[in-house]
Amino acid sequence: ARRALSFEVDWFLEPIFFGDYPREMHKLLSSNLPKFTSEEKSLLQKNKADFIGINHYTTIYVKDCISSPCDLKAYEAYEANALVLATGERDGVAIGRPTAFDGYYDVPEGMEQIVKYVNQRYKNTPLYVTENGYSQHSNDTMDKLINDVERVNYLHGYLTCLSSAVSRKGANVRGYFVWSIIDNFEWTFGFTVRFGLYHVDYGTQKRTPKMSAKWYRDFLMGSRPTDQVQMLRADS
C-alpha cells in the first residue's frame, strides 16, 4: 500500500517538498527517473507549495506483485511500475458499496486516512479537498436520479470522516468542494454517468435540484441530516 501511494500521490508531492522522487520509485525505476540538479532541488524546496489539493472519491486494496507475481500487462502504468495490483475486492468481498463509476466504491473512512497521511507526511501544509463526489448511471429512472439517497449517504459519510480528521487528528483542512454542482460531460464516460447535485436535462438544459442539493444546502446552514439518510443507514 505504501509503495502504491508513492507512485500515485508522493510522485507529485515529494519533489516539491523534499527535492526528489520517493525512495520506492528510485528503488524500482532507478535510471528511468529524471534527475534533479542541485539548483533545481534548492528551488523546489525553497518555494514549496502554499497548499495541497486532493481529488478523492474512493479507496481500493492493492496486492503486492513482488512476492506474488501478477499479470500486469492489462493494468494502468502506475500499477505495473509499482508492481502492485489494484482491486476493489478482498476474499470475494467488495471494499464498499459500488457506484456507477467502474472501480469506485463508497468507502468514507478512506477520506480520513488519506487526509491524515498527506497532512502528516507533508508537514501540516494547508489542504483542500478539491473534488469529492458520487456517480449515478444516466439511464436510471428520473425518480431515482432526483431522489439520490445514495449520493446523500455518500456525502454524509465522507464529510463525517473529513470532520473526524480535523477534530480528532488535527488535520489542517481549509476547504472542501463537491464534484459537481451540475451533471456534466464526464470525460470518456460522456453523458453516461452523473455526478451533479443538480440534474441537467441535456436536451433542454433545464436544471433540477436533486435531494443531495437540498441536503448539502441544509448541511452548510448547520441543519441536521435529512430523514432519508437516517432511514438509509437504518436499513443498511
Side-chain angles (χ1 to χ4, degrees):
R2 177 71 189 84
R3 191 164 73 243
L5 282 169
S6 292
F7 276 76
E8 194 170 15
V9 177
D10 302 333
W11 174 22
F12 299 97
L13 294 175
E14 295 243 343
I16 296 171
F17 285 88
F18 306 126
D20 206 346
Y21 292 110
R23 183 177 64 255
E24 292 83 357
M25 294 189 78
H26 275 291
K27 185 176 179 181
L28 292 179
L29 301 182
S30 59
S31 61
N32 288 324
L33 282 175
K35 300 287 192 299
F36 292 104
T37 65
S38 297
E39 183 180 5
E40 287 169 338
K41 289 184 179 182
S42 177
L43 284 170
L44 283 165
Q45 291 182 294
K46 183 169 69 175
N47 292 301
K48 294 208 169 36
D50 296 323
F51 69 91
I52 296 171
I54 293 179
N55 295 352
H56 179 71
Y57 292 88
T58 192
T59 299
I60 52 176
Y61 296 119
V62 288
K63 176 185 176 182
D64 176 32
C65 295
I66 294 178
S67 59
S68 179
C70 316
D71 180 8
L72 293 169
K73 293 178 182 178
Y75 292 92
E76 297 288 344
Y78 100 85
E79 293 177 38
N81 285 323
L83 295 178
V84 298
L85 180 65
T87 175
E89 294 186 357
R90 184 178 182 182
D91 299 327
V93 179
I95 194 170
R97 290 174 180 265
T99 69
F101 231 49
D102 187 39
Y104 281 42
Y105 300 83
D106 183 352
V107 191
E109 58 268 26
M111 174 67 87
E112 181 174 353
Q113 294 299 317
I114 189 61
V115 166
K116 183 174 67 173
Y117 174 84
V118 172
N119 229 206
Q120 290 177 348
R121 190 166 183 82
Y122 298 102
K123 303 178 180 180
N124 208 38
T125 299
L127 188 152
Y128 290 83
V129 178
T130 40
E131 287 186 24
N132 175 241
Y134 180 90
S135 60
Q136 297 168 287
H137 292 288
S138 281
N139 60 3
D140 282 341
T141 65
M142 187 65 174
D143 179 68
K144 189 172 182 181
L145 289 171
I146 296 297
N147 296 298
D148 56 343
V149 177
E150 292 86 358
R151 179 174 287 107
V152 174
N153 185 53
Y154 176 98
L155 293 175
H156 179 264
Y158 275 71
L159 283 164
T160 297
C161 289
L162 180 61
S163 175
S164 176
V166 174
S167 60
R168 293 175 53 202
K169 309 296 182 182
N172 189 8
V173 179
R174 302 292 182 86
Y176 169 89
F177 297 85
V178 174
W179 185 265
S180 61
I181 189 170
I182 61 172
D183 293 332
N184 64 298
F185 187 87
E186 190 58 43
W187 298 96
T188 57
F189 289 85
F191 295 118
T192 64
V193 293
R194 294 172 180 265
F195 276 92
L197 300 182
Y198 281 74
H199 177 272
V200 177
D201 183 314
Y202 296 129
T204 66
Q205 293 297 299
K206 179 183 177 182
R207 272 78 159 161
T208 304
K210 302 177 185 178
M211 180 192 294
S212 56
K214 298 171 184 177
W215 179 88
Y216 195 52
R217 175 201 61 198
D218 293 343
F219 166 78
L220 293 175
M221 295 175 67
S223 302
R224 291 172 60 85
T226 61
D227 291 339
Q228 287 89 340
V229 180
Q230 294 166 354
M231 288 169 57
L232 179 60
R233 290 197 173 279
D235 293 341
S236 298

